[in-house]
Amino acid sequence: MKLTKLAMLATTAMLAAGAAMADGKVKVGIITTLSGGGAGLGIDARDGFMLALKLSGSDAVEVVIEDDQQKPEIAVQLADKMIQAENVDVLTGIIWSNLAMAVVPSAVAQDKIYLSVNAGPSALAGKGCHPNYFNVAWQNDNLHEAAGAHATKAGYAKTFILAPNYPAGTDALTGFKRFYKGELAGEIYTKLGQTDYAAEIAQIRASGADSVFFFLPGGMGISFMKQYADSGVGLPVVGPAFSFDQGILQAVGAAALGVVNTSQWGKDLDNAANQTFVAAFQQEYGRLPSLYASQGYDTANLLLSAIGKADIADKDAFRAALKEADFASTRGDFKFGTNNHPVQDIYVREVIQEGDIFTNKIIGVALQDHVDAYAAECKM
Amino acid sequence: MTFLLFAEQMLNGLQFGIMLFLMAAGLTLVFGVMGLINLAHGSLYMIGAFAAAAVAGATGSFVLALIASLAAAAAAGALIELTVIRRLYKRDHLDQVLATFALILILSEGTRWVFGSFPLYLDVPGYLSGPVTLPGGIQYPLYRLAIIVAGLVVAVGLFALIARTRIGIQIRAGEADREMIAALGIDISRLYTLIFALGAALAGLAGALVGAIQSVQVGMGESVLILAFVVIVIGGIGSIKGALVGALLVGMTDTMGGVLLPRFFALFLDPTAATAVGASLGSMLIYIMMAVVLIMRPSGLYGSA
């Protein structure tokens, strides 16, 4: 009898403690792309994020995950639901810049913290920057700027450049040209979602170029690389990591071997956090991580570091804790610039084959401690 | 623009047109004979590509992969016809659009369940890879030439099937008067299943052929589907000949427009603006062409009014 009473008391006490803990939890809403052609990116970012939470053993974070289907109007609905019904403290997860532009400005205006795992549109880095908005990945132009710097360093004098005809594509070519000193053999905007590049490849062949730069994320890049390799044009190729990430390299196959691409992360970066991350990711999910996974992982660790220092209820203290970026990044050194965007090294990687697997190896640094071009326009 | 570049672009337009024809042929047959709008035609294209990638991965044989794409898409087509489409013939077009749109979602997520979210690998076989030099010094990928030849063979076969065989007579009769051929003792529901499976197989073949030079991923059929609809509207709904002419027109216009327009605008605009304006207008060109055809001939080039 006494024993039962004791057990009941203990249970009640535990339940109460549990409830108290639940109140103290930081609630995170992840809106990301989990279906459709772009799902690979969102799934990787989510898996990286969840892996970091699991490894930390912390139960301070409660997560709600929703699929935006890569559609801005759905992302907006989900954000409204998470803010009003779920009452989340922090939002994150959006992959695509057009979705980020639809969600982020209103979310941060409602005093929610937004941590970007991927998209870094220039509008949110310059005049539109906000104290509640932290980008853990990069500003959109960064990897292209690094590609331009690398092309100049490699001595290319006549590069042919192409990107899809949409805002991130225009930013990409602008970013490349900002750091490229040679002349252009040609400049083409392709259709967004285009899958056949025969006409563009014919123009590259006829242009007398000495190299090719392209930004064609996801399936577009797979199509381009396979057709380019088959065309026999054979000029050296430079691109940002998006067309050569781990998720799509197996589909491109040998056509990508030797291609040089720029990234803020690589699986062979030599630091303890990265080694832990790569091994744990492989063990948990049975595949190699991509840069999107590393960004998700870093985002979660940044959040955990801030939770350890400040209470989410005290927004000023929490923002200050986030800004310190006191966490072990998979990229090694990581710090935020004045506009809450990363100041980081951007590496040059080469596509290699390890056994049956195609992957990237870091071969150099393109830009050191790189600050994005819009930081000066940010007043906060 | 040099002759070499021009000739290569003409070949590109031809190859793109042939590929569109494979898609449009099935779509126009199904619409012409059964009066059905099938939005899920692009999903059959995707199924063909995934079946080919899976078989090529397991056996290493590209020929087996093509056979698998035909078989898998035809089987999926027959199954869909028997379970879903059959109930839609008597409904209006809005119900058909709704139901086949649901099929797109089901087939896409089903494919993701089976194959995962990441694109699959399917490559051009060794004996068809690399460029060849054509008379006149044009360098052109052998595989694209093979697509052109394969497409032309299918086109000839399809014309022969429709013009010369008993099935072909039944298909033509079905287009002309559905009730009457049923009254003549032809098993109309079997004929419908057959036509649907045939159209599906052609879409699957297109998916496999194109999958080798593009990316095999969920949702790959949707952009092609829109173009295939443009083709059958231009060619005239129900006409195989119209599908062929429409496909070649769309293929040529899209390719040459995308190449020539930026050059045209470069004559009087600065280069960056010229590429941007040219690219935008180039991607609109086939829709402008469709509008013009619809104004001149509301039932399409070869459509029966």
Side-chain angles (χ1 to χ4, degrees):
Chain A
M1 183 68 194
K2 210 174 175 186
L3 212 66
T4 330
K5 212 169 184 177
L6 201 69
M8 266 174 66
L9 261 174
T11 317
T12 323
M14 264 159 65
L15 275 175
M21 208 110 95
D23 282 344
K25 277 189 175 184
V26 173
K27 198 162 183 183
V28 179
I30 301 184
I31 301 171
T32 196
T33 306
L34 302 173
S35 64
L41 289 67
I43 288 171
D44 262 6
R46 178 200 63 188
D47 287 352
F49 192 95
M50 297 312 284
L51 179 69
L53 293 188
K54 189 180 166 191
L55 290 186
S56 74
S58 159
D59 56 358
V61 179
E62 187 186 340
V63 178
V64 193
I65 302 177
E66 295 276 6
D67 173 19
D68 61 31
Q69 302 168 35
Q70 205 178 333
K71 295 186 180 120
E73 67 277 12
I74 305 230
V76 169
Q77 284 170 19
L78 291 173
D80 286 346
K81 190 183 105 186
M82 283 183 171
I83 291 170
Q84 283 154 20
E86 305 271 4
N87 204 16
V88 299
D89 305 296
V90 177
L91 278 167
T92 182
I94 294 177
I95 299 290
W96 310 94
S97 291
N98 50 339
L99 275 67
M101 287 308 297
V103 167
V104 173
S106 112
V108 293
Q110 293 175 64
D111 213 22
K112 301 295 171 191
I113 304 280
Y114 187 89
L115 306 174
S116 181
V117 293
N118 194 63
S122 48
L124 296 178
K127 291 197 182 70
C129 66
H130 195 281
N132 285 334
Y133 173 76
F134 292 83
N135 188 310
V136 196
W138 22 254
Q139 196 280 315
N140 276 356
D141 299 12
N142 290 167
L143 302 195
H144 312 295
E145 291 168 341
H150 173 75
T152 305
K153 211 193 295 179
Y156 298 143
K158 217 175 166 203
T159 303
F160 197 104
I161 61 176
L162 67 159
N165 194 15
Y166 81 124
T170 334
D171 284 355
L173 296 192
T174 311
F176 180 84
K177 286 190 274 187
R178 194 175 287 138
F179 280 76
Y180 173 64
K181 301 280 174 270
E183 78 178 282
L184 295 177
E187 179 176 2
I188 298 185
Y189 286 109
T190 62
K191 270 170 275 187
L192 188 59
Q194 184 171 329
T195 49
D196 200 306
Y197 293 93
E200 287 75 15
I201 290 167
Q203 294 185 64
I204 293 171
R205 196 202 301 274
S207 69
D210 66 358
S211 54
V212 177
F213 165 80
F214 73 94
F215 164 60
L216 297 165
M220 293 184 275
I222 300 178
S223 301
F224 178 81
M225 272 318 292
K226 282 162 88 171
Q227 293 164 25
Y228 181 77
D230 200 38
S231 71
V233 172
L235 299 171
V237 171
V238 185
F242 313 117
S243 301
F244 304 95
D245 79 72
Q246 204 60 49
I248 68 171
L249 271 183
Q250 308 318 312
V252 180
L257 272 183
V259 171
V260 165
N261 63 95
T262 48
S263 174
Q264 84 289 2
W265 175 83
K267 80 170 178 28
D268 51 345
L269 271 182
D270 193 15
N271 64 67
N274 196 37
Q275 282 156 1
T276 313
F277 162 64
V278 173
F281 192 93
Q282 267 183 290
Q283 200 190 352
E284 185 79 17
Y285 304 108
R287 62 176 196 271
L288 283 172
S290 66
L291 81 157
Y292 308 109
S294 80
Q295 290 158 194
Y297 185 85
D298 277 356
T299 305
N301 278 326
L302 168 71
L303 179 67
L304 288 169
S305 76
I307 291 172
K309 290 185 170 188
D311 185 357
I312 186 80
D314 182 356
K315 281 276 156 52
D316 282 331
F318 198 77
R319 278 192 289 263
L322 280 171
K323 185 126 190 172
E324 283 173 36
D326 186 13
F327 70 103
S329 168
T330 55
R331 290 165 239 185
D333 291 341
F334 182 100
K335 63 172 189 276
F336 283 119
T338 50
N339 58 347
N340 291 352
H341 280 61
V343 177
Q344 59 190 346
D345 294 348
I346 299 176
Y347 301 94
V348 181
R349 313 189 300 183
E350 183 185 346
V351 180
I352 55 157
Q353 192 169 8
E354 284 178 356
D356 292 341
I357 304 282
F358 294 95
T359 188
N360 284 288
K361 187 181 79 169
I362 289 180
I363 56 169
V365 181
L367 294 169
Q368 248 169 358
D369 284 334
H370 184 55
V371 183
D372 64 86
Y374 306 94
E377 292 170 25
C378 170
K379 306 269 179 285
M380 68 178 179
Chain B
M1 182 186 251
T2 63
F3 165 73
L4 281 186
L5 179 58
F6 189 76
E8 187 174 349
Q9 299 293 23
M10 291 296 278
L11 281 173
N12 286 334
L14 181 66
Q15 182 261 318
F16 185 39
I18 291 279
M19 201 280 300
L20 282 178
F21 168 70
L22 289 180
M23 275 297 278
L27 204 58
T28 202
L29 269 182
V30 168
F31 200 115
V33 179
M34 302 124 146
L36 177 95
I37 298 180
N38 178 24
L39 292 185
H41 204 65
S43 301
L44 296 163
Y45 171 90
M46 175 184 75
I47 287 172
F50 272 87
V55 169
T59 66
S61 160
F62 191 67
V63 176
L64 280 182
L66 287 185
I67 295 170
S69 73
L70 283 166
L79 189 70
I80 290 168
E81 202 276 341
L82 288 172
T83 51
V84 181
I85 305 287
R86 177 156 291 192
R87 289 157 224 286
L88 298 171
Y89 295 134
K90 292 217 164 66
R91 303 292 197 91
D92 66 28
H93 286 328
L94 199 61
D95 290 353
Q96 296 173 351
V97 166
L98 205 60
T100 51
F101 186 72
L103 279 176
I104 294 183
L105 299 179
I106 293 166
L107 290 171
S108 289
E109 291 312 301
T111 310
R112 187 193 314 287
W113 265 11
V114 179
F115 292 100
S117 301
F118 297 95
L120 292 195
Y121 175 73
L122 174 66
D123 203 4
V124 174
Y127 48 86
L128 286 178
S129 69
V132 285
T133 309
L134 299 178
I138 307 162
Q139 280 222 317
Y140 201 67
L142 181 58
Y143 185 76
R144 286 184 189 271
L145 284 180
I147 292 186
I148 295 176
V149 173
L152 289 176
V153 168
V154 170
V156 170
L158 211 51
F159 279 114
L161 177 82
I162 297 217
R164 304 240 179 267
T165 64
R166 196 164 179 80
I167 295 274
I169 295 172
Q170 292 176 359
I171 291 175
R172 279 180 291 151
E175 271 180 62
D177 194 331
R178 246 173 283 174
E179 281 79 19
M180 191 53 91
I181 75 156
L184 288 174
I186 296 193
D187 185 350
I188 190 85
S189 59
R190 206 191 50 148
L191 181 68
Y192 281 5
T193 312
L194 200 70
I195 294 173
F196 201 85
L198 175 69
L202 290 178
L205 178 67
L209 284 175
V210 163
I213 47 171
Q214 297 182 2
S215 99
V216 179
Q217 62 180 5
V218 172
M220 63 187 283
E222 274 132 57
S223 54
V224 191
L225 179 77
I226 296 170
L227 291 177
F229 270 111
V230 173
V231 166
I232 68 169
V233 168
I234 288 177
I237 287 164
S239 163
I240 293 283
K241 196 167 151 196
L244 182 60
V245 173
L248 293 179
L249 263 178
V250 169
M252 284 290 179
T253 310
D254 195 54
T255 306
M256 299 312 279
V259 175
L260 293 178
L261 278 175
R263 284 167 187 270
F264 171 70
F265 283 109
L267 296 177
F268 49 88
L269 286 174
D270 75 90
T272 311
T275 44
V277 174
S280 307
L281 203 61
S283 57
M284 279 189 266
L285 212 55
I286 55 168
Y287 302 102
I288 296 170
M289 182 170 77
M290 179 170 79
V292 171
V293 168
L294 284 180
I295 292 167
M296 313 292 280
R297 292 182 70 98
S299 55
L301 294 177
Y302 293 90
S304 45

